[in-house]
């Protein structure tokens, strides 16, 4: 008798779930205010190591869920966004301070070394930072 009642409960629950419209998860995105908070955090900490967990904490999400929402919202990954902003910062610093060494610019832009900046710069822009000087 107990097994029958449990089975009937499960059948009724499945019927209910099949009838009730569930909002599609594919439409879940980060709000504009959440994106702004993340972007502000990135700009403030651009010269430091930035982890996905740090960005997720800004908007109170776990890293995996944040990454999914970020990609749905922007079309790219958090890493590629941070990388693009670092390359932009490097371009700005190269233009503003041409006498400054590329090692200093790399560190001020959040890259671990000049060679890391050069590789990422080439990947994003198609040219090396030395050609921009």
């Amino acid at each position: 008798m107990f097994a029958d009642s449990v089975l009937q409960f499960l059948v009724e629950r499945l019927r209910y779930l099949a009838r009730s419209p569930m909002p599609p998860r594919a439409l879940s995105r980060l709000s504009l205010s959440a994106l702004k908070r993340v972007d502000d955090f990135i700009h403030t900490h651009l010269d430091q190591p930035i982890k996905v967990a740090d960005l997720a904490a800004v908007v109170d999400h776990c890293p995996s869920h944040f990454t999914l929402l970020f990609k749905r919202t922007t079309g790219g990954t958090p890493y590629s966004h941070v990388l693009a902003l670092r390359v932009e910062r490097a371009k700005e610093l190269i233009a503003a301070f041409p006498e400054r060494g590329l090692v200093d610019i790399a560190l001020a832009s959040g890259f671990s070394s000049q060679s890391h900046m050069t590789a990422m710069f080439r990947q994003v822009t198609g040219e090396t930072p030395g050609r921009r000087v």
Side-chain angles (χ1 to χ4, degrees):
M1 193 158 62
F2 175 74
D4 285 342
S5 62
V6 169
L7 183 59
Q8 186 172 354
F9 169 78
L10 289 175
V11 168
E12 290 302 317
R13 183 72 179 150
L14 288 173
R15 283 185 186 152
Y16 171 77
L17 290 174
R19 285 189 306 249
S20 54
M22 300 283 286
R25 287 196 65 184
L27 299 179
S28 298
R29 300 182 187 280
L30 289 172
S31 67
L32 290 177
S33 63
L35 262 177
K36 174 140 179 44
R37 288 194 316 267
V38 168
D39 219 34
D40 289 345
F41 179 89
I42 293 170
H43 283 288
T44 303
H45 299 92
L46 198 58
D47 61 338
Q48 303 163 18
I50 299 174
K51 298 178 183 169
V52 172
D54 300 330
L55 301 177
V58 170
V59 292
D60 289 330
H61 287 298
C62 70
S64 59
H65 187 63
F66 169 77
T67 300
L68 177 68
L69 294 178
F70 190 90
K71 193 163 187 172
R72 284 181 187 161
T73 305
T74 66
T77 64
Y79 174 76
S80 64
H81 183 65
V82 171
L83 178 62
L85 292 176
R86 285 187 169 149
V87 168
E88 279 305 310
R89 167 87 49 94
K91 284 182 188 178
E92 292 166 3
L93 291 174
I94 289 168
F97 306 103
E99 72 285 349
R100 196 167 172 190
L102 289 179
V103 172
D104 292 336
I105 289 174
L107 297 177
S109 302
F111 293 102
S112 59
S113 65
Q114 179 182 343
S115 62
H116 181 226
M117 178 182 74
T118 300
M120 297 300 102
F121 202 96
R122 182 182 295 127
Q123 179 180 325
V124 172
T125 67
E127 57 185 22
T128 63
R131 290 187 49 107
R132 295 190 62 88
V133 175

